Amino acid sequence: MTKAVNDKVVVKDYFNATGFDRWRRIYGDGEVNKVQRDIRVGHQKTIDTVIEWLEADGNLSNIMICDAGCGVGSLAIPLAQAGAKVYASDISEKMVTEAAKRAQETLGYSNSIAFTVQDLESLSGKYHTVICLDVLIHYPVPDAAKMITHLASLADSRLILSFAPKTFFLSILKKVGEFFPGPSKATRAYQHKEADIIKILQDNGFTIKRTSMTSTRFYFSRILEAVR
C-alpha cells in the first residue's frame, strides 16, 4: 500500500472516530479548551473570508459550488442560506451525517444543498466554483498536487483553497509541537509552500485573484482564490 493511500486511510479512520468528536466540538458552539477555542476562531475567520469574497461578487444565487471536504457544513450551510446551490462532500461518513443534521436544523427541507460521502479524488461533475478548505494539511505535497489538479478539472470558473503555509517560523512551531498540540495530533500535519500551490494552479490554467491569511496562536491558513 502506498503512502498516499495510507494517509487517506488514516484521515478517514480518524474523522470517523476520535477526530469526529473533537472537531464537531471545535466547529460547534459548546465548551472547549483554550487551544480548541483558538482553532475554532481561526477556522471561522477562514470561512468568513471566503463567504465575503463570494458575496462581494453578487452572483451566489446563480452559481453551483462544490464544497470538497465539507466537514460539519461550516461553509456549505451559510452558502446555501445565501442562495447558492451547494454540493458538499467529505471523506468521513460521520462528518457528512452531522453536516446534514445541521443543515436540516438550519434550513429545514431544502434542495439547495446536497451532501455525499466521497474523497476528493472520486468527485466528479462540473461546478462554477470548487472550494477546498483546511484539507490539504492532511496530505503531503505529491498527493496534494494530484488533488488540486483533479479539483481544478471540476471548476469551470474558480477554485478556492486553504492550506497551512510552509515558512521557517511555522516549521519551527510544528517541530516543537505547538502547531497542533496535545493528543489531537492523530494525523500528519503537512505544510505547503505557497509558490508550489500557485504553480500547480497556474499549470491548470488558473491565475490568482485574491489572497488572505488567517493567523491565530494555533491556527494558520493561507487562502488562495484562483480563476480561469
Side-chain angles (χ1 to χ4, degrees):
M1 188 177 292
T2 66
K3 182 179 179 182
V5 174
N6 283 336
D7 279 314
K8 186 166 69 173
V9 170
V10 168
V11 171
K12 181 178 181 179
D13 289 346
Y14 173 65
F15 283 103
N16 274 322
T18 57
F20 167 71
D21 292 326
R22 177 179 184 271
W23 289 98
R24 178 178 59 176
R25 290 196 303 273
I26 291 175
Y27 294 154
D29 54 11
E31 288 295 321
V32 289
N33 62 42
K34 291 182 179 179
V35 172
Q36 292 171 333
R37 186 178 302 110
D38 182 87
I39 295 171
R40 174 190 289 174
V41 169
H43 178 74
Q44 188 59 50
K45 286 182 178 179
T46 294
I47 296 290
D48 292 343
T49 295
V50 172
I51 292 175
E52 287 172 7
W53 285 353
L54 299 181
E55 289 183 335
D57 292 341
N59 64 344
L60 267 178
S61 61
N62 299 320
I63 66 175
M64 178 168 284
I65 297 173
C66 175
D67 181 7
C70 67
V72 296
S74 303
L75 175 67
I77 293 171
L79 287 180
Q81 284 180 302
K85 298 288 185 182
V86 184
Y87 183 87
S89 67
D90 199 276
I91 195 173
S92 165
E93 182 178 358
K94 281 194 172 183
M95 285 288 189
V96 171
T97 299
E98 177 69 15
K101 176 185 175 183
R102 293 187 182 192
Q104 176 65 31
E105 293 171 350
T106 304
L107 303 170
Y109 174 78
S110 173
N111 61 4
S112 62
I113 185 169
F115 292 100
T116 184
V117 181
Q118 283 183 286
D119 58 50
L120 298 187
E121 300 99 311
S122 65
L123 288 172
S124 61
K126 284 290 185 179
Y127 309 89
H128 177 281
T129 296
V130 175
I131 304 173
C132 186
L133 302 183
D134 293 351
V135 173
L136 297 180
I137 193 170
H138 301 298
Y139 299 97
V141 173
D143 301 320
K146 294 176 184 176
M147 291 177 181
I148 294 170
T149 296
H150 179 62
L151 293 177
S153 73
L154 310 178
D156 285 333
S157 299
R158 174 171 52 195
L159 178 56
I160 298 176
L161 303 171
S162 75
F163 56 95
K166 187 174 181 62
T167 66
F168 177 77
F169 173 67
L170 295 184
S171 295
I172 294 298
L173 285 183
K174 183 174 181 290
K175 286 182 179 179
V176 298
E178 295 178 10
F179 192 71
F180 279 94
S184 65
K185 193 183 293 183
T187 64
R188 300 177 180 92
Y190 296 101
Q191 297 165 284
H192 299 278
K193 292 181 180 179
E194 183 173 348
D196 292 342
I197 302 296
I198 291 176
K199 178 65 163 54
I200 297 166
L201 292 167
Q202 290 174 336
D203 287 346
N204 284 278
F206 288 86
T207 58
I208 303 303
K209 179 180 178 183
R210 288 178 282 207
T211 67
S212 185
M213 178 71 194
T214 302
S215 179
T216 65
R217 186 177 179 185
F218 297 107
Y219 176 97
F220 304 90
S221 184
R222 184 64 166 163
I223 317 167
L224 301 179
E225 178 191 34
V227 297
R228 290 194 188 277

